[in-house]
Amino acid sequence: MKYEPTYLEMFLTKLAFVFCGKSVYRSFADSLPLEGGERVLDFGCGMGTVAYHVAKKLTNGQLTCLDVSERWLQACHKTLRRFDNIIFLKWESPVLADESYDVVFCHFVLHDIPDCELGKVIPVLAGSLKPGGVLVFREPLRNMQKTNIIKRLIENALSLKNSRITDIPVVGNTLESVYVKA
Ligand SMILES: C[S@@+](CC[C@H](N)C(=O)[O-])C[C@H]1O[C@@H](n2cnc3c(N)ncnc32)[C@H](O)[C@@H]1O
């Protein structure tokens, strides 16, 4: 399985960050239930496109940026260099401390993960939420079968709070859903 991005992929993501930062990434960060003091996990942070906007909101909180890719994590480090409330975490195996986060978000990540791995990853993400914590994802709606697998796995552990479809430039329709841990 490919874990490291090509330099072209990284360059295109940088362009998207510069030119669509507000409309795509900041709008998602703005939709997260944040007051400033939360512990937040960005699962599959990439170069920190959303994390950058979340970090600005966490005046009193802490953001963990997690990725499988060393190259993306290095890029994320660079994007977030001016913040001091960030933990960078390389995802070696699906383990996270239980009940650690108020908010976990996944932005264009889950659709890329093979079904067998999703079956391990999603329970770990759900377990890492504090009671009352929230999991938010935004994923492309190109593959309904994959979307349904993601929804089913999450709904085994968490309750759906709300869901909407939004149209994102280049990507097309995406599903944004918010789940709560009882
Ligand atoms: C399409 S990128 C999205 C990056 C970022 N969230 C954004 O919206 O710009 C998908 C990211 O998920 C990461 N990723 C893929 N599989 C993963 C896994 N099993 N665990 C953690 N991260 C993963 C990739 O390395 C990549 O950084």
Side-chain angles (χ1 to χ4, degrees):
M1 193 189 313
K2 181 191 113 186
Y3 283 124
E4 296 299 339
T6 62
Y7 288 110
L8 176 63
E9 211 177 316
M10 296 181 82
F11 175 69
L12 294 175
T13 304
K14 181 82 187 272
L15 285 184
F17 182 50
V18 171
F19 292 107
C20 310
K22 269 191 195 165
S23 61
V24 179
Y25 305 113
R26 199 177 85 185
S27 69
F28 182 75
D30 286 346
S31 76
L32 299 172
L34 298 175
E35 289 181 0
E38 293 81 2
R39 285 179 58 115
V40 179
L41 173 67
D42 179 354
F43 181 79
C45 57
M47 67 166 283
T49 48
V50 178
Y52 176 79
H53 298 285
V54 170
K56 285 205 268 188
K57 292 173 180 288
L58 293 179
T59 46
N60 201 21
Q62 191 177 60
L63 173 63
T64 299
C65 290
L66 179 158
D67 208 287
V68 272
S69 154
E70 194 60 55
R71 209 176 265 176
W72 275 131
L73 274 177
Q74 279 169 13
C76 188
H77 232 283
K78 209 168 150 195
T79 307
L80 301 182
R81 60 190 174 277
R82 78 177 170 94
F83 300 100
D84 57 12
N85 57 345
I86 319 287
I87 294 171
F88 296 92
L89 199 59
K90 174 107 194 280
W91 179 254
E92 309 278 2
S93 60
V95 180
L96 288 170
D98 281 346
E99 303 191 355
S100 308
Y101 300 107
D102 302 289
V103 177
V104 171
F105 69 89
C106 311
H107 189 260
F108 297 149
V109 179
L110 300 175
H111 70 284
D112 265 348
I113 300 181
D115 297 351
C116 58
E117 200 183 330
L118 270 181
K120 295 181 194 141
V121 166
I122 289 178
V124 172
L125 295 183
S128 76
L129 279 174
K130 296 178 187 173
V134 167
L135 173 86
V136 185
F137 74 72
R138 181 195 257 171
E139 296 292 337
L141 263 179
R142 282 190 292 264
N143 180 343
M144 270 321 288
Q145 202 182 339
K146 188 74 176 185
T147 306
N148 286 333
I149 290 171
I150 293 168
K151 282 163 56 177
R152 182 173 47 76
L153 287 168
I154 297 178
E155 283 164 21
N156 280 344
L158 306 171
S159 309
L160 181 64
K161 188 173 175 206
N162 57 55
S163 213
R164 63 178 183 153
I165 293 174
T166 49
D167 188 19
I168 302 292
V170 185
V171 179
N173 279 344
T174 66
L175 180 66
E176 291 180 34
S177 296
V178 181
Y179 292 86
V180 188
K181 183 166 180 173

